[in-house]
Amino acid sequence: MKLPRLVVSAACAMTVSAAMVGAASSASAATVNYVALGDSYSSGTGTGSYDLDSTCQRSSRAYPAKWAAAHSTSSFKFVACSGAKTTDVLNNQLSSLGSSTSLVSISIGGNDAGFSGVMQTCVLGSDSSCTSAVNTAKNYADTQLPGRLSTLFSAIKSKAPNAHVVVLDYPHLYITNDAGCIGMSHTKHAALNAGADEIDTVIGKGAANAGFSFADVRSTFAGHELCSGDGWLNSVTIPIGNSYHPTATGHASGYLPVFTSAAAALTAAKKS
């Protein structure tokens, strides 16, 4: 049956319009320029495979690489590095940012507060020495870390003015119900979890002050910490540097869904 010319023209216009919308949608999805900054909790220390960079312990099993592999990114720059402090990110990682950067992730602050030294004291020392070390770290987090985060976050905004920035924090290390847990005492477990809470609170406030998105992983890790038997976090390991970091499972089941949700919310807000 031959359709009237007006109907045919309208149908063609609708087809062209739909194709243009689809192309625009694809172009929008394809213009994600993602940069992953931060420390060992972002690089992938503890995942057991540093196939992307052995020096900084960057892994394809880490949440940034897994997210990039699952999404249509125009570019992905993975510069997070094990052991990084706020000053290391400032000096060594921000060159990866630019005006075209549209998405940034970062975990930072634990090394500034002396995370590795605290863990060493708690593993080898007494309850009182562990508690003292945690309290020192908490005091640093309260008095020094806010300024360091403010300086870093301001620099990120300056370098990547068009980017959505997601700031991730650190999980509790031990389950709350730790009766029968072999190794450190309940006193140490509670002190370490309280220390994580203090640092995470400061990081969350810093992210809010900068206008960044704060992605809190503690609720996702809840019930899967050490002594749960779920294998989301490493205990004391060989090599020692992997200790108390997320495993590949911790990245895939803990960090990745939290970051995915935050990135999706930011993308939706941009489109609305």
Side-chain angles (χ1 to χ4, degrees), residues 76-89:
F76 172 47
K77 297 179 182 179
F78 193 7
V79 295
C81 193
S82 179
K85 298 181 179 180
T86 51
T87 50
D88 295 310
V89 177

Side-chain angles (χ1 to χ4, degrees), residues 108 145-146 149 153 167-170 196-216 218:
I108 199 69
L145 189 56
L149 291 176
F153 291 167
V167 182
L168 298 98
D169 62 355
Y170 305 99
D197 284 334
E198 196 76 18
I199 293 174
D200 290 349
T201 296
V202 171
I203 293 170
K205 289 179 179 177
N209 290 340
F212 295 165
S213 174
F214 177 54
D216 192 344
R218 284 171 292 180

Side-chain angles (χ1 to χ4, degrees), residues 62-115:
Y63 77 85
K66 292 182 74 67
W67 188 91
H71 293 78
S72 300
T73 58
S74 289
S75 65
F76 172 47
K77 297 179 182 179
F78 193 7
V79 295
C81 193
S82 179
K85 298 181 179 180
T86 51
T87 50
D88 295 310
V89 177
L90 275 168
N91 296 329
N92 304 321
Q93 298 183 20
L94 296 196
S95 60
S96 60
L97 302 176
S99 59
S100 65
T101 304
S102 56
L103 180 63
V104 174
S105 65
I106 183 171
S107 62
I108 199 69
N111 292 316
D112 292 75
F115 170 79

Side-chain angles (χ1 to χ4, degrees), residues 92-173:
N92 304 321
Q93 298 183 20
L94 296 196
S95 60
S96 60
L97 302 176
S99 59
S100 65
T101 304
S102 56
L103 180 63
V104 174
S105 65
I106 183 171
S107 62
I108 199 69
N111 292 316
D112 292 75
F115 170 79
S116 60
V118 170
M119 291 311 307
Q120 182 175 344
T121 298
C122 289
V123 169
L124 301 176
S126 63
D127 285 358
S128 61
S129 63
C130 174
T131 301
S132 177
V134 170
N135 287 338
T136 297
K138 288 166 67 175
N139 180 65
Y140 181 94
D142 291 337
T143 61
Q144 303 298 317
L145 189 56
R148 288 176 175 263
L149 291 176
S150 178
T151 298
L152 173 59
F153 291 167
S154 293
I156 291 174
K157 289 174 72 173
S158 177
K159 289 279 190 178
N162 302 309
H164 293 299
V165 181
V166 180
V167 182
L168 298 98
D169 62 355
Y170 305 99
H172 286 167
L173 291 177

Side-chain angles (χ1 to χ4, degrees), residues 228-248:
S228 68
D230 289 344
W232 286 30
L233 291 161
N234 289 292
S235 184
V236 179
T237 63
I238 301 298
I240 196 68
N242 290 339
S243 303
Y244 302 106
H245 284 82
T247 62

